[in-house]
């Protein structure tokens, strides 16, 4: 049996997956496909794009059109695969560039999942640091006691942690001379951590091509800075969208279909920006 997880490790895991699942859901909901055959599962398509960065579109002789994971073998002079093996549960069949079209998630043809995991890791780190810093404001201290007093001290701490108004102890088993309390003042930095988390979240949204307010209430961005952020969002969106659109063109040409894809999440920026000229006029 594995070692039982501590409360802290469970909270760490919960915080990590909270951010990972949120970011993954954004990624899975970014694109809207139109004209897909009924036999093609749009959610499965995007799940594979997220995890593997690719999927193969083809027409099975008996199951109609499908989009499934694939491996590839031989390459042409441009390093483009020309033969594929589509696979899934109880499915394994070979195709070629003449009867199948690979759909890539971006121009580097890589999965975005590792990047989402990295963002989730950093967000969970700052989230847990926030929790700890706030909790440490509650009269932080160290308790020095004899080993025989350990259980008594732990029980007393649990009551304190639970915000009990009174802590009761057995006089015969609670030797006040056998322990010492050392205060450990901790500076309050939760506000700085919140700002960092806000900026980190906006960076993740920019990576996914999703509009975000990349400024706080204390300092509004000038129009040039907002335009630069808009360009980054547009570029991120274009990288993933264009790769899918190129695949749609090849699919439509090969199979006589009318499939299209577009970015469906809102990318409009809040109207918080003000020009430098406006700032001068206010002054």
């Amino acid at each position: 049996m594995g070692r039982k997880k501590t409360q802290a490790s469970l909270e760490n895991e919960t915080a990590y997956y909270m951010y990972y699942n949120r970011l993954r859901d954004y990624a899975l909901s970014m694109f809207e496909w139109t004209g897909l055959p009924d036999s093609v599962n749009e959610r499965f398509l995007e799940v594979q794009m997220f995890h593997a960065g690719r999927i193969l579109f083809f027409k099975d002789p008996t199951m109609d059109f499908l989009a499934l994971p694939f491996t590839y073998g031989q390459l042409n002079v441009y390093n483009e695969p020309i033969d594929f093996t589509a696979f899934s549960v109880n499915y394994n069949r070979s195709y070629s560039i003449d009867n199948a079209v690979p759909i890539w998630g971006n121009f580097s043809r890589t999965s975005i999942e590792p990047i989402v995991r990295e963002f989730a890791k950093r967000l969970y780190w700052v989230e847990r640091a926030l929790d700890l810093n706030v909790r440490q404001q509650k009269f932080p201290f160290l308790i020095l006691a004899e080993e025989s007093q350990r259980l008594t001290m732990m029980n007393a701490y649990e009551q304190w942690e639970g915000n009990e108004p009174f802590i009761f102890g057995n006089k015969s088993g609670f030797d006040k001379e056998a322990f010492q309390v050392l205060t450990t003042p901790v500076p309050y930095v939760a506000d700085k951590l919140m700002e960092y988390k806000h900026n980190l979240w906006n960076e993740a949204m920019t990576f996914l091509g999703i509009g975000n307010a990349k400024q706080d209430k204390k300092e509004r961005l000038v129009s040039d800075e907002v335009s630069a952020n808009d360009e980054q969002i547009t570029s991120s969106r274009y990288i993933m969208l264009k790769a899918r659109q190129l695949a749609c063109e090849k699919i439509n040409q090969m199979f006589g279909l009318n499939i299209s894809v577009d970015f469906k999440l809102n990318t409009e920026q809040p109207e918080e920006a003000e020009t430098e000229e406006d700032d001068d006029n206010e002054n």
Side-chain angles (χ1 to χ4, degrees), residues 10-178:
L10 288 173
E11 291 176 357
N12 291 342
E13 188 174 293
T14 299
Y16 170 79
Y17 281 106
M18 175 182 72
Y19 283 111
Y20 173 76
N21 289 332
R22 287 177 66 185
L23 293 173
R24 182 178 62 174
D25 282 342
Y26 273 121
L28 296 180
S29 304
M30 286 161 55
F31 300 98
E32 184 172 18
W33 292 80
T34 304
L36 283 175
D38 293 338
S39 52
V40 174
N41 186 302
E42 180 177 347
R43 178 190 175 278
F44 182 82
L45 186 158
E46 283 299 337
V47 167
Q48 291 303 312
M49 299 292 274
F50 174 77
H51 289 287
R54 67 192 189 198
I55 199 166
L56 189 69
F57 188 98
F58 57 92
K59 187 173 185 179
D60 180 84
T62 59
M63 300 177 66
D64 204 7
F65 292 106
L66 296 174
L68 295 180
F70 71 96
T71 59
Y72 59 86
Q74 188 176 353
L75 304 174
N76 64 16
V77 294
Y78 296 111
N79 285 332
E80 297 283 350
I82 60 177
D83 58 70
F84 317 95
T85 299
F87 65 90
S88 187
V89 179
N90 298 323
Y91 192 94
N92 189 289
R93 193 179 184 95
S94 297
Y95 292 90
S96 74
I97 197 171
D98 296 321
N99 55 18
V101 176
I103 306 173
W104 305 100
N106 48 49
F107 289 114
S108 62
R109 299 181 176 180
T110 56
S111 165
I112 67 171
E113 183 187 21
I115 300 175
V116 167
R117 286 191 176 276
E118 182 65 22
F119 276 120
K121 180 184 71 175
R122 295 181 182 184
L123 285 163
Y124 119 76
W125 277 348
V126 69
E127 183 73 22
R128 296 296 289 130
L130 263 167
D131 292 342
L132 184 60
N133 186 247
V134 171
R135 292 174 64 183
Q136 287 173 330
Q137 303 310 305
K138 186 179 177 182
F139 304 107
F141 52 79
L142 293 174
I143 301 177
L144 305 179
E146 298 292 339
E147 184 63 28
S148 60
Q149 294 285 310
R150 175 186 289 272
L151 182 59
T152 301
M153 295 300 100
M154 291 181 65
N155 289 336
Y157 174 80
E158 287 181 2
Q159 294 181 59
W160 172 85
E161 175 71 6
N163 296 311
E164 294 287 346
F166 304 101
I167 298 177
F168 299 95
N170 188 319
K171 184 176 181 180
S172 60
F174 195 88
D175 184 1
K176 64 181 181 179
E177 303 297 332

Side-chain angles (χ1 to χ4, degrees), residues 195 214-221 225:
E195 182 179 355
K214 203 169 186 180
Q215 71 269 7
D216 56 34
K217 295 180 180 179
K218 295 181 180 179
E219 183 178 355
R220 303 171 68 188
L221 296 180
E225 292 172 302

